[in-house]
Amino acid sequence: RAKEMGNNNFQFYAREMNASVEEKLVLLEGLRGALDEGQFHLLYQPKVDLRSGLIFGVEALIRWEHPEHGVVSPLRFIGLAEESGLIVAIGDWVLHTACRQNKAWQDAGLAPITMSVNVSPRQFEEKRLVERVAAALRESALAPGALELEVTESLIMRDLAQSVGKMRELEAMGLSLSIDDFGTGYSSLSALKSFPISSLKIDKSFVRELADNTDDQAIAMAVISLGHKLNLRVIAEGVETEQQCTFLRDNDCDEMQGYLFSRPVPAAQIAALLAEQARMQAGCAHPGRSLH
Ligand code: C2E
Ligand code: MG
Ligand code: MG
Ligand code: MG
């Protein structure tokens, strides 16, 4: 096929390939030492209840500060970490760090929130996943109910029976599970019925043009109604505008996450947001206070 495209095209194609293979090798090399070098950190993005406007949870999102390349997006290195198996150790670090952080917020007297952690396929399929999650909870002394794992449909469908079995074990431990990027995978509706999950996350590709794309509106409405009929909460990701937010609220979506409310931010900023929220609630509960 490269030949058909002509010599120039072939060279261009080959250069592109080399660039990406080279980039992969450089990143992979760096990735091996990144944990030991302390080059990872987590940012947290608020999840907001669409009716009350209150933060009820956050999603932990990993960042890699590469010594030469600066901050590398997880979109560029999670795949590599998967292929190389490094994801198991990195994922463990994420779980422990996120659980410890949530416990620290609670210990600081902030309103309890749920910590959502992304789990990728290789990490989920690893034999000791359930033990690893239990260890992170034990070590951090975080209540299981304050932890949620985000998994994708394609991950579950790789081995449906085994996935559902693992999900049931995790559910039995008291934590909750959510389907991330819903609508982009290929789980059948009958399979969905058997997942022990508590929420569906509408992928941001359906949210982006929600204000004026009637197809995306139809998809969002269908996911919301499907979720509710299955007794699940429905959350939309990638909410950037008031129009998207209004559409979601008007159509009974439960929760949202996106730049409109907040970008992913460091832990201290979450603590500040929670503290401010508590002050505002206290203000509403005791309106007389302002008279003194
Ligand atoms: P995801 O789990 O679907 O996370 C949502 C992504 O959307 C995040 O990208 C977030 O920063 C971004 N986002 C949030 N609000 C908005 C918005 O309003 N507009 C737009 N355009 N984007 C928004 P991020 O942080 O780059 O992460 C990308 C993906 O990398 C995640 O997608 C997840 O699949 C993966 N990932 C991130 N952290 C981890 C981790 O700790 N472990 C694993 N296994 N995967 C991770
Ligand atoms: Mg996610
Ligand atoms: Mg997502
Ligand atoms: Mg996504």
Side-chain angles (χ1 to χ4, degrees):
R1 278 210 54 216
K3 247 186 194 156
E4 287 165 26
M5 286 158 67
N7 199 37
N8 285 340
N9 279 331
F10 172 71
Q11 281 182 2
F12 176 71
Y13 179 64
R15 244 200 335 268
E16 289 272 282
M17 289 256 300
N18 285 336
S20 81
V21 168
E22 229 173 78
E23 186 199 74
K24 270 174 102 167
L25 286 175
V26 169
L27 287 181
L28 188 58
E29 189 60 34
L31 208 50
R32 292 191 201 287
L35 257 187
D36 289 340
E37 301 291 329
Q39 291 167 0
F40 293 117
H41 65 271
L42 296 182
L43 294 181
Y44 303 92
Q45 186 177 39
K47 293 184 169 191
V48 179
D49 184 289
L50 272 166
R51 271 166 291 273
S52 67
L54 296 176
I55 300 170
F56 67 91
V58 294
E59 176 176 9
L61 294 159
I62 194 169
R63 295 292 178 267
W64 176 22
E65 186 89 44
H66 190 285
E68 287 124 53
H69 302 280
V71 177
V72 186
S73 158
L75 296 173
R76 284 175 68 202
F77 73 83
I78 290 292
L80 276 178
E82 276 272 318
E83 287 169 35
S84 60
L86 289 167
I87 192 67
V88 176
I90 296 172
D92 243 7
W93 177 85
V94 173
L95 268 171
H96 281 260
T97 307
C99 287
R100 256 185 260 129
Q101 182 58 65
N102 202 13
K103 184 65 166 61
W105 286 326
Q106 289 179 8
D107 289 348
L110 297 164
I113 58 171
T114 305
M115 174 65 71
S116 301
V117 171
N118 292 288
V119 174
S120 51
R122 181 103 174 236
Q123 200 185 345
F124 189 80
E125 281 163 9
E126 204 269 333
K127 270 203 308 291
R128 296 180 50 244
L129 169 85
V130 177
E131 291 163 55
R132 287 172 185 279
V133 172
L137 288 168
R138 202 178 331 111
E139 187 252 4
S140 61
L142 182 72
L147 178 65
E148 176 182 74
L149 301 183
E150 294 190 3
V151 296
T152 59
E153 295 160 85
S154 18
L155 172 159
I156 300 171
M157 298 306 288
R158 277 160 71 140
D159 185 339
L160 183 61
Q162 196 163 64
S163 299
V164 170
K166 265 190 190 175
M167 290 165 84
R168 287 199 197 291
E169 279 186 70
L170 293 162
E171 187 197 33
M173 275 166 54
L175 50 95
S176 52
L177 291 150
S178 164
I179 306 284
D180 203 353
D181 305 337
F182 187 73
T184 63
Y186 53 94
S187 56
S188 69
L189 297 181
S190 61
L192 184 63
K193 192 178 71 173
S194 69
F195 301 165
I197 52 172
S198 50
S199 68
L200 288 182
K201 195 186 267 193
I202 304 175
D203 189 65
K204 57 173 174 285
S205 59
F206 305 117
V207 174
R208 197 174 304 127
E209 292 163 29
L210 203 51
D212 36 43
N213 183 322
T214 50
D215 290 342
D216 289 339
Q217 292 176 354
I219 291 168
M221 287 160 75
V223 174
I224 294 166
S225 108
L226 173 68
H228 287 170
K229 289 199 173 108
L230 294 174
N231 275 318
L232 306 173
R233 283 175 298 111
V234 180
I235 179 163
E237 71 174 7
V239 179
E240 297 184 356
T241 68
E242 282 296 346
Q243 291 99 302
Q244 292 164 343
C245 180
T246 303
F247 180 89
L248 291 162
R249 192 185 290 113
D250 288 350
N251 285 280
D252 223 18
C253 189
D254 303 289
E255 300 154 2
M256 71 141 178
Q257 186 182 348
Y259 298 164
L260 176 66
F261 188 86
S262 168
R263 290 191 171 252
V265 294
Q269 257 167 277
I270 296 295
L273 283 168
L274 289 174
E276 181 188 308
Q277 192 167 283
R279 271 197 304 278
M280 281 174 57
Q281 279 181 293
C284 292
H286 308 283
R289 223 183 244 175
S290 57
L291 296 175
H292 291 292

